[in-house]
Structure formats: structure tokens, C-alpha cells
Amino acid sequence: MRLRPARPDEADTLTGVAMAAKAHWGDDPAFLAGCLEVLRVDRSRMEIEPHVVAEQDGEVVGFYSVQLDGDPAVLDKLYVLPAEMGRGVGRALWAHMVAALRARDLRAVTLDADPHALPFYTRMGARQIGEAVSEVDPARRLPRMRFDLT
């Protein structure tokens, strides 16, 4: 597996990875349809925010993106194709992100986790600090997580 910066022409591929990962958990099709706009990877943001892909045999199998507007940074997306879940791709992406943010001397990163991904982020060392309202379904609450980089 190789980690590398994402290219703007891969925006649709990354959106597909995010949607496949989200669909893996069996959420309602109407909810998933609503997720598309939230999960869509925007080419223009790729030019100003770090987007890193995990590539296996020439295929994108996962990625992350980070917003660097302040400290803490915000993990915007971290998704892995379902067939690659549990094989270290997410862990490798997380470790890469942590190292990159530490190199920028940031103190922490926050994220709003999909409830299905809460065990992963907890294993990575993030802790829940509150809740956020889902952009797709206002009745759905997302665990707000923080990982200290220092």
C-alpha cells in the first residue's frame, strides 16, 4: 500500500469511496442519498486542503481530508472501501494524518464521527468530547471526537 497526495481529477473516485464506505453499514437508502452532497469531494477544496489517498495495486482504497483553518484541525473525511476495512488501511491513513499535523505544530484534531466508526476512532486514541447534529438528518447525533497531537 502506498500513501500519496490525491489529485484533483480523483475527486469523483474519492466520493465513490466515501459513499461505498457509508453504504457498508446498511443505512436507509433515503439517508444514503442525502449523504451524497455531504460526502462529495470538492476539487477546489483539494487544491487548498490536504487530501491523501491509500493506493493498492494502482487502485484508490481509502483517503482522508483535513481542514486546516485553525488549531485544532478538523478531520473532514476518512473513508476506506469496505473490502479493505480491517486490513490496516484506516490505521495507516490515521497515522499519516497525525504525523502531518504534528509536523505543522498543531495541538489537536477534531472530527464528527459516524456512529459506526466510533470504535475505530476510539482505538486510534480519540476521545468523545460532545455531540454534533448530522448535516443529513437533524435527528441524528454524531459523536464529536478530539485527538491531542502533543
Side-chain angles (χ1 to χ4, degrees):
M1 177 177 49
R2 176 173 85 110
L3 302 180
R4 62 168 176 78
R7 299 183 313 265
D9 67 316
E10 294 176 308
D12 290 342
T13 298
L14 302 186
T15 299
V17 169
M19 289 299 295
K22 182 67 85 175
H24 172 73
W25 303 107
D27 287 312
D28 177 80
F31 173 76
L32 290 174
C35 290
L36 180 58
E37 283 310 308
V38 173
L39 298 182
R40 186 179 309 280
V41 175
D42 182 337
R43 275 180 190 243
S44 63
R45 289 183 67 181
M46 292 178 77
E47 296 173 8
I48 58 174
E49 297 173 347
H51 285 66
V52 174
V53 301
E55 187 177 71
Q56 186 108 351
D57 299 324
E59 299 294 323
V60 174
V61 297
F63 77 100
Y64 75 81
S65 64
V66 180
Q67 296 174 12
L68 297 173
D69 297 341
D71 191 2
V74 176
L75 176 61
D76 186 43
K77 296 174 176 64
L78 192 158
Y79 291 100
V80 174
L81 287 175
E84 299 301 322
M85 289 179 180
R87 296 184 177 181
V89 176
R91 182 177 296 275
L93 288 165
W94 179 267
H96 185 279
M97 179 206 59
V98 166
L101 295 178
R102 283 181 173 149
R104 292 177 179 263
D105 292 324
L106 294 172
R107 293 176 300 187
V109 60
T110 61
L111 62 118
D112 294 339
D114 182 294
H116 299 292
L118 182 59
F120 169 78
Y121 291 117
T122 300
R123 281 193 308 277
M124 295 303 102
R127 69 184 193 289
Q128 186 169 351
I129 58 170
E131 288 185 335
V133 176
S134 167
E135 293 177 60
V136 178
D137 177 0
R140 185 175 176 156
R141 299 291 184 260
L142 306 175
R144 177 151 294 158
M145 310 289 290
R146 179 182 172 102
F147 180 80
D148 293 316
L149 298 161
T150 56

